[in-house]
Amino acid sequence: QKEGYRFFMEKEIYEQARVISETLMGRISADSIVLDELSPELLEGINTIKICACGTSYHSGLVASYLFERLAKVRANVEIASEFRYKEPLLTPDTLFVVISQSGETADTLEALKIAKAAGLKTLAICNVDNSSIVRLADATLLTRAGIEKGVASTKAFATQVATLWMVALHIGALKGTIDQQTLASEIHTLLRTPNALHVKDGLHEKIHRLSKRYLHGHGFFFIGRDIFYPLALEGALKLKEISYMHAEGYPAGEMKHGPIALADSGLFTIALMPQTLLYEKTKSNVEELSARDATILAISPKPFDLADDFIQTGDHAHPMSEFFEMMLITQLLALEVAVRLGNDVDMPRNLAKSVTVE
Ligand code: F6R
């Protein structure tokens, strides 16, 4: 059932354009977001959104926290479920508690949901598996419609989570009146074109395969980005470490000078996410500092960057989310190609299980 692909993960990366279309289907009209699952009662009196999840799902939650505050003007924070459980969290009734889970069975996320319910909060699950434990417990669910994900390293589930959370942010912003009609129409226009950013363009996979040979024997990777590209950096690093077993970290680009830049030398591989629509100059100057310390730089950007050792040019998008999805695709393919070159079993990485049902 790999349909000609070498690995399920590879197949699932290529499926992303299609599953995003499915996730959006019936939920968007020309000028509004139609999320019947989110009843007016669920959202009434909500001033804060608290998101709780693990791993890759936590990263999509981090992206959502930027979108909720920026688009919906709702206070939003994100917590790792295993931390949330034991910190004696202060929960107030004006909070919508959102859990994100591909499987719907992650033990820590499920327990976090139970804590929120016991505190009387309204709860929403963003989940890929209908009738899972998390779906059964939450007050409301938005299914992500990624289809069955077999690769242990999550790809298409992450993409559909981010798209779903973007829709939720727009929906809440429209309800609260914090997004004007013109902005909403333009966001919807971009959202509907997300599948275009996720098509693997001719030559892209081959290019990543070719350049991946330079990235096999360093002492580690830093993925860096700002704003929503910071959670994407975290996710890119997680994908790479899961299947290549190489050390990788995601960092906010502006934090490198606060310590990690001490690691920079030619054996430090830096994957620089340099979108043109968000803080380009700021990110560029952070990458220049790394280059000055001889770090090996792979720049992913629509704008050519002279100091890069390798450069993957992205499309000329006008919206950060379009840049986000295209760069996500590239980081997934990079992780895949590095792992394949190292001879690893991409679909069954050592020490990992697809669903983590113990804490
Ligand atoms: C990474 C990965 C894990 C999961 C995490 C949460 O590729 O798959 O980090 O994201 O175990 O799983 P779910 O989303 O099923 O709750």
Side-chain angles (χ1 to χ4, degrees), residues 54-57 100-104 106 152-154 238-239 242 356:
C54 301
T56 288
S57 298
I100 308 170
S101 177
Q102 188 286 127
S103 63
T106 299
V152 166
S154 182
L238 179 63
K239 279 306 76 99
E242 282 184 294
V356 184

Side-chain angles (χ1 to χ4, degrees), residues 126-275:
I126 309 290
C127 191
N128 198 40
V129 181
D130 201 4
N131 209 31
S132 57
S133 304
I134 284 175
V135 168
R136 289 199 303 271
L137 194 63
D139 298 324
T141 296
L142 279 169
L143 290 172
T144 43
R145 303 183 189 157
I148 294 171
E149 189 177 61
K150 289 207 168 156
V152 166
S154 182
T155 53
K156 62 177 182 169
F158 176 71
T160 58
Q161 286 168 351
V162 173
T164 303
L165 289 156
W166 183 13
M167 275 193 287
V168 175
L170 294 175
H171 180 73
I172 294 177
L175 278 182
K176 288 174 65 94
T178 52
I179 301 184
D180 61 67
Q181 198 50 47
Q182 199 187 341
T183 310
L184 182 64
S186 129
E187 289 281 314
I188 287 174
H189 178 86
T190 311
L191 180 55
L192 286 170
R193 274 151 195 77
T194 298
N196 298 343
L198 285 169
H199 277 299
V200 183
K201 291 196 207 76
D202 284 351
L204 175 68
H205 198 153
E206 294 71 17
K207 178 177 172 103
I208 293 173
H209 167 72
R210 253 182 290 113
L211 67 79
S212 64
K213 66 173 177 284
R214 198 205 279 263
Y215 295 92
L216 306 177
H217 304 296
H219 57 73
F221 284 80
F222 270 89
F223 286 69
I224 61 169
R226 283 173 174 257
D227 204 277
I228 54 172
F229 296 88
Y230 159 51
L232 183 58
L234 291 174
E235 175 58 10
L238 179 63
K239 279 306 76 99
L240 188 85
K241 79 181 108 182
E242 282 184 294
I243 59 175
S244 75
Y245 319 141
M246 291 179 68
H247 181 76
E249 282 190 73
Y251 243 87
E255 269 291 296
M256 293 301 286
K257 61 165 75 67
H258 297 285
I261 202 165
L263 295 171
D265 62 18
S266 61
L268 180 79
F269 300 147
T270 301
I271 313 300
L273 306 176
M274 302 170 71

Side-chain angles (χ1 to χ4, degrees), residues 52 54 79-89 97 106-115 356-359:
C52 218
C54 301
E79 299 201 38
I80 290 177
S82 57
E83 286 298 312
F84 173 83
R85 283 179 68 177
Y86 300 108
K87 70 182 285 201
E88 300 178 27
F97 194 80
T106 299
D108 284 320
T109 309
L110 180 60
E111 284 307 314
L113 177 58
K114 286 181 187 165
I115 290 169
V356 184
T357 53
V358 290
E359 74 169 298

